[in-house]
Amino acid sequence: MNPALLSQKDYLERPQLEALQLERLQTIVAHAYQNSPFYTRAMDAMGVKPRDIRSLADIVRLPFTQKTDLRDHYPYGLNAVPSEEIVRIHASSGTTGKPIVVTYTRGDLDIWTETTARCFLMGGVTNRDVAVIGYGYSLFTGGMGAHQGMERIGATVVPMGGGNTEKLCMLIQDLGVSVLCCTPSYFIHLMEVAQRLGLDLHKTTLRHGFFGAEPWTDEMRAHIEEGSGIHAHDIFGLSEIMGPGVAGSCDAHNGLHIFEDHYFPEIVDPATGEALPPGEEGELVLTTLDKFAMPLLRYRTHDITRLHYEKCSCGRTLVHMDPIRRRSDDMLIIRGVNLFPSQVEAILLPIHGVVPHYELVVTREGAMDELEVRVEVTPDLFGDKVAVLESLRKLIAEKIKGMIGISAKVTLVEPGAIARCDGKTRHVVDKRKK
């Protein structure tokens, strides 16, 4: 398909879009019921048949799917096509137990490529760009997903993968790289390495970054854009649903547009599962409308967001969701208080002398939870007077207590003291005994 035609789907009028969604929903529900024993049992237990899905509102009659369902039916228990139709397998990047396996038909890969390409087109990528893919090329969906989307547009793709940051700095200069896809935390690491090498990213050809795979804040966006001169774009996806390219940000940065002609979104109360109206904050639930190898009905993502259906200032009619700042399942409870890492990040980034690398270390002494916030500071500040560092430490501690209502031990550490990684950064070290 001509890349110029892909974006036309972003502007469908709502009645036309909803008619397409219903047609695809009815087809995929029937396919799942007839070909996936898991969904046959689940729908029978709910007392619902494919013929009962007469409108989009009827989607609430379908069962939820949880990540545990995928783990419990490892590896192929949720497949809904014969093995000879499977052309690719990816898997989750889980750190414990067996991974979550995700399978694709050739048609599934075409849809994935299309939606990822639409993400990049929204951000202004053209066939004149040179794009480095800094996500891992592995069972993780990031590398291949971004790669195939860039190729669909016709951009020149450099399949770099993660790591070897000094070489990446060289290639940005030598190859005229204009687009980089990676995690936001890795790009910040790249900024640090470039500075150490004497490379001013403002003076390179780099102009766009597409960042995903971990939550990031507006403060981090500002830090990235000011420190590099690029335009920072959101890209969102889940391996279980398809991979990167489920949603992305346009130039208006008015949230992320979900490609709802392929992925049907809902917002539910994370505690009760009850559907919530547009504009209400809750858990994002997604249904794959035309993924046939492993269809997922009402998949609970645990990502917390809001959906907005008014037309965006960019002209797109696709629903836009707030950027994912937190999840319902990465919440820390410290002395009865709910805490999300993104809250601490929002406090730290505007403070002069602090770099965006931090850890929340949770321990338990007896019956009492203790929180230590380890924060890196800039090289010039770390070598400053003790009184200056103590003043900064107190400022951070006061701001944390003011926001979350509990005291935390704040430890300022030298640059590089907190471990870096090429993929998702883990900000929480929970040492409490379970």
Side-chain angles (χ1 to χ4, degrees):
M1 179 181 288
N2 185 335
L5 301 178
L6 289 175
S7 294
Q8 292 183 1
K9 297 183 179 183
D10 298 352
Y11 302 92
L12 292 175
E13 293 300 326
R14 180 61 45 182
Q16 184 182 3
L17 175 58
E18 290 181 351
L20 177 62
Q21 288 175 318
L22 178 58
E23 177 185 350
R24 289 179 171 175
L25 176 63
Q26 291 171 327
T27 299
I28 203 66
V29 169
H31 172 74
Y33 184 80
Q34 294 163 9
N35 297 286
S36 168
F38 169 80
Y39 279 117
T40 305
R41 293 190 299 271
M43 289 176 62
D44 283 347
M46 297 282 289
V48 61
K49 303 291 184 185
R51 63 176 178 271
D52 298 322
I53 307 303
R54 300 185 179 93
S55 69
L56 292 176
D58 289 329
I59 197 169
V60 299
R61 304 182 64 180
L62 297 171
F64 286 118
T65 310
Q66 305 271 10
K67 182 171 284 192
T68 51
D69 295 323
L70 281 72
R71 290 189 179 124
D72 292 346
H73 292 81
Y74 171 90
Y76 301 129
L78 267 69
N79 277 6
V81 297
S83 59
E84 56 266 28
E85 295 184 28
I86 302 297
V87 298
R88 191 187 297 173
I89 294 173
H90 282 282
S92 72
S93 55
T95 56
T96 59
K98 292 185 181 294
I100 290 172
V101 168
V102 187
T103 57
Y104 304 79
T105 66
R106 192 167 302 281
D108 296 339
L109 291 181
D110 287 342
I111 291 167
W112 184 15
T113 301
E114 173 201 315
T115 57
T116 310
R118 286 162 70 182
C119 271
F120 298 141
L121 287 168
M122 263 198 296
V125 177
T126 73
N127 59 6
R128 296 183 295 276
D129 281 301
V130 177
V132 165
I133 310 302
Y135 294 115
Y137 282 79
S138 62
L139 287 173
F140 173 58
T141 55
M144 289 296 294
H147 184 123
Q148 61 203 25
M150 287 293 182
E151 283 193 338
R152 176 66 63 88
I153 294 171
T156 302
V157 180
V158 183
M160 182 79 184
N164 207 341
T165 309
E166 291 191 8
K167 184 175 183 180
L168 176 54
C169 288
M170 178 188 73
L171 294 180
I172 288 173
Q173 299 174 87
D174 295 349
L175 302 182
V177 172
S178 53
V179 180
L180 178 58
C181 301
C182 62
T183 62
S185 55
Y186 180 69
F187 189 83
I188 289 171
H189 175 58
L190 169 70
M191 290 166 59
E192 294 173 343
V193 173
Q195 183 179 35
R196 189 177 74 241
L197 296 174
L199 173 62
D200 185 351
L201 292 175
H202 292 84
K203 296 179 180 179
T204 68
T205 52
L206 196 61
R207 64 189 184 92
H208 288 295
F210 290 86
F211 306 121
E214 62 188 20
W216 54 304
T217 59
D218 290 335
E219 291 81 6
M220 186 176 283
R221 181 193 304 281
H223 178 81
I224 287 172
E225 292 186 337
E226 291 169 8
S228 66
I230 70 166
H231 297 287
H233 307 276
D234 291 86
I235 185 169
F236 170 81
L238 305 88
S239 296
E240 304 94 300
I241 292 295
M242 190 71 89
V246 172
S249 62
C250 63
D251 287 339
H253 291 297
N254 188 22
L256 290 82
H257 291 286
I258 300 174
F259 298 109
E260 52 179 326
D261 49 325
H262 297 295
Y263 315 112
F264 187 85
E266 304 172 73
I267 295 292
V268 303
D269 184 312
T272 67
E274 293 296 317
L276 297 175
E280 290 289 319
E281 184 180 77
E283 179 182 347
L284 178 66
V285 172
L286 292 169
T287 295
T288 56
L289 293 177
D290 44 12
K291 185 173 188 289
F292 285 87
M294 199 183 86
L296 290 183
L297 306 181
R298 306 194 76 201
Y299 182 73
R300 298 193 63 162
T301 68
H302 294 291
D303 291 316
I304 303 299
T305 187
R306 293 181 177 89
L307 297 181
H308 308 278
Y309 286 86
E310 64 273 13
K311 184 182 289 188
C312 180
S313 60
C314 73
R316 287 177 175 81
T317 54
L318 295 170
V319 65
H320 44 107
M321 70 175 184
D322 291 347
I324 304 298
R325 303 302 190 208
R326 59 189 178 92
R327 291 171 53 82
S328 62
D329 59 353
D330 70 356
M331 181 178 70
L332 287 168
I333 301 178
I334 312 291
R335 294 173 231 152
V337 175
N338 297 341
L339 170 65
F340 291 90
S342 58
Q343 292 175 289
V344 175
E345 183 176 294
I347 290 171
L348 296 176
L349 285 175
I351 298 176
H352 175 70
V354 170
V355 296
H357 295 290
Y358 65 94
E359 280 183 338
L360 309 182
V361 182
V362 189
T363 56
R364 177 172 292 151
E365 297 295 334
M368 181 68 72
D369 292 335
E370 299 294 340
L371 172 65
E372 178 187 9
V373 181
R374 302 180 70 240
V375 184
E376 282 191 21
V377 296
T378 56
D380 58 320
L381 194 64
F382 192 77
D384 218 325
K385 296 178 180 179
V386 173
V388 174
L389 291 173
E390 180 60 16
S391 177
L392 176 61
R393 190 195 65 76
K394 287 182 177 179
L395 173 64
I396 294 171
E398 288 170 0
K399 286 184 174 293
I400 290 174
K401 185 171 184 179
M403 172 172 279
I404 64 177
I406 61 173
S407 297
K409 176 185 177 183
V410 174
T411 304
L412 303 181
V413 299
E414 64 183 323
I418 294 175
R420 311 294 197 260
C421 66
D422 298 333
K424 297 183 182 182
T425 296
R426 298 188 182 277
H427 292 296
V428 176
V429 179
D430 194 340
K431 296 183 176 180
R432 294 174 292 187
K433 293 182 179 180
K434 303 300 181 182

